[in-house]
């Protein structure tokens, strides 16, 4: 097995984690779907980073960078329409554990330089966006709606 194949196997982990999340999106209440959408953008970004290394395509990192900015932004926009930003420990834990587990070995593999700086920026954006949107904020539009959801948080 080549080193590139190892990175592709690492990229499969977040992709496989997307299967139950996609089911959650199709079956959940609106607040649950919002949490699942947030988790989808996080897992998608995490899958793109080792895939970029495995396929030798640095352009995939650019897509992960865009996703790390637009994912939390989309969550906040939908939260505005729903009037609530539900909190989720699952999203926060996935970000705080998953991002370093993927980004740090990639930094070691790429070595110091511009590529490492880009990886660290993407990792920081994925963590910051997921923690900010996964922390919940109660009412997103100023009304006093409940932030409770039926999903595991």
């Amino acid at each position: 097995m080549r080193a590139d194949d190892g990175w592709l196997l690492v990229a499969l982990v977040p992709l496989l984690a997307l299967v139950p999340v996609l089911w959650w999106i199709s079956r959940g209440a609106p607040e649950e779907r919002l949490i699942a959408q947030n988790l989808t953008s996080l897992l998608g970004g995490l899958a793109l980073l080792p895939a970029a290394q495995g396929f030798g395509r640095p352009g995939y990192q650019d897509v992960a960078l865009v996703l790390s900015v637009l994912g939390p932004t989309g969550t906040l926009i939908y939260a505005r329409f729903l009037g609530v930003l539900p909190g989720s420990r699952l999203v926060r834990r996935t970000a705080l554990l998953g991002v370093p587990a993927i980004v740090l070995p990639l930094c070691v593999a790429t070595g110091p330089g511009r590529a490492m700086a880009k990886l660290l920026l993407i990792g920081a954006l994925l963590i910051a966006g997921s923690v900010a949107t996964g922390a919940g904020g109660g009412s997103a539009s100023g009304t006093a709606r409940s932030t409770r959801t039926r999903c595991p948080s």
Side-chain angles (χ1 to χ4, degrees):
M1 176 156 75
R2 298 182 340 221
D4 295 344
D5 295 338
W7 289 115
L8 295 175
L9 287 174
V10 170
L12 277 177
V13 173
L15 287 177
L16 291 174
L18 278 173
V19 173
V21 174
L22 292 174
W23 180 84
W24 191 11
I25 287 173
S26 68
R27 302 286 182 201
E31 291 86 5
E32 294 171 346
R33 291 178 182 181
L34 185 61
I35 293 170
Q37 182 268 333
N38 194 6
L39 195 54
T40 301
S41 64
L42 174 62
L43 292 172
L46 288 178
L48 285 168
L49 293 176
Q53 185 75 18
F55 288 124
R57 303 262 184 174
Y60 290 177
Q61 290 180 350
D62 296 335
V63 177
L65 178 61
V66 170
L67 189 59
S68 68
V69 172
L70 294 181
T73 304
T75 299
L76 294 174
I77 290 170
Y78 284 119
R80 175 77 175 155
F81 288 126
L82 289 175
V84 66
L85 180 61
S88 173
R89 282 181 268 165
L90 177 62
V91 173
R92 288 191 312 270
R93 286 182 186 155
T94 302
L96 293 174
L97 297 174
V99 172
I102 289 180
V103 171
L104 294 178
L106 282 168
C107 287
V108 171
T110 59
R114 189 174 181 196
M116 179 190 267
K118 185 189 270 187
L119 285 170
L120 291 173
L121 174 66
I122 293 168
L125 288 171
L126 284 172
I127 290 173
S130 297
V131 168
T133 56
S139 174
S141 64
T143 60
R145 288 185 57 177
S146 173
T147 60
R148 292 186 183 213
T149 60
R150 294 176 297 166
C151 63
S153 54

